């Protein structure tokens, strides 16, 4: 159960969350987010869809597919109103979450690389977004989460 999503870069985080809720409710477990690069080429980013509402409202009805449980990812990255907060249920980020501007992509990637060393066994990260963020900003940030500066995987499972 996988779909590909290609949206105009100006689609809001709220609209994207609504769409992900509908897909998740229909039993879709994976999505490929498609982004057109600066030179016109297309790239995709595979994400898992969490089995919970992303926005306020009644719980979404589930399809036949087994849902992805967001608690499988003890790391959580929250993006809202230009701010980024990286937290964890245990360890150093539990005691002192990392805060940054969403626009500081190199700083975010550097922090995620350091975090990866502290949480070596983790393969998944949960990401939540709200507010004024747009599709192209969200996908670019997700690309920073996926790989380090040299192109090696940071987190193989991204749960939205």
């Amino acid at each position: 159960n996988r779909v590909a999503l290609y949206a105009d870069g100006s689609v809001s985080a709220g609209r994207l969350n609504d769409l992900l809720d509908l897909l998740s409710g229909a039993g879709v477990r994976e999505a490929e987010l498609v982004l057109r690069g600066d030179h016109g080429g297309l790239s995709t980013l595979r994400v898992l869809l969490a089995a919970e509402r992303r926005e306020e409202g009644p719980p979404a009805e589930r399809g036949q597919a087994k849902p992805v449980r967001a608690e499988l990812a003890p790391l959580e990255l929250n993006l809202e109103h230009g701010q980024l907060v990286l937290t964890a249920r245990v360890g150093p980020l539990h005691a002192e979450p990392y805060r940054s501007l969403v626009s500081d992509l190199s700083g975010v990637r550097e922090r995620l690389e350091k975090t990866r060393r502290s949480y070596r066994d983790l393969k998944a990260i949960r990401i939540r977004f709200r507010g004024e963020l747009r599709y192209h900003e969200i996908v670019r940030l997700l690309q920073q989460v996926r790989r380090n500066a040299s192109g090696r995987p940071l987190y193989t499972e991204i749960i939205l």
Side-chain angles (χ1 to χ4, degrees), residues 137-149:
E137 296 169 309
I138 293 166
V139 175
R140 285 205 173 107
L141 185 73
L142 293 176
Q143 290 170 331
Q144 301 296 316
V145 172
R146 173 72 72 197
R147 301 196 177 279
N148 68 15

Side-chain angles (χ1 to χ4, degrees), residues 42-110:
L42 296 178
S43 62
T44 63
L45 181 69
R46 181 182 145 296
V47 297
L48 300 176
L49 301 183
E52 60 188 40
R53 286 284 289 181
R54 288 158 194 81
E55 297 287 331
E56 293 181 21
E61 298 206 15
R62 300 294 313 159
Q64 296 297 322
K66 183 177 178 184
V68 174
R69 294 185 358 250
E71 66 269 13
L72 295 176
L75 283 180
E76 188 169 294
L77 187 60
N78 290 290
L79 313 164
E80 187 170 7
H81 305 298
Q83 297 293 313
L84 171 145
V85 180
L86 180 62
T87 61
R89 281 191 238 128
V90 296
L93 284 173
H94 178 72
E96 190 175 333
Y98 171 74
R99 298 176 190 286
S100 172
L101 295 175
V102 171
S103 59
D104 181 18
L105 293 179
S106 62
V108 169
R109 179 181 270 165
E110 182 180 323

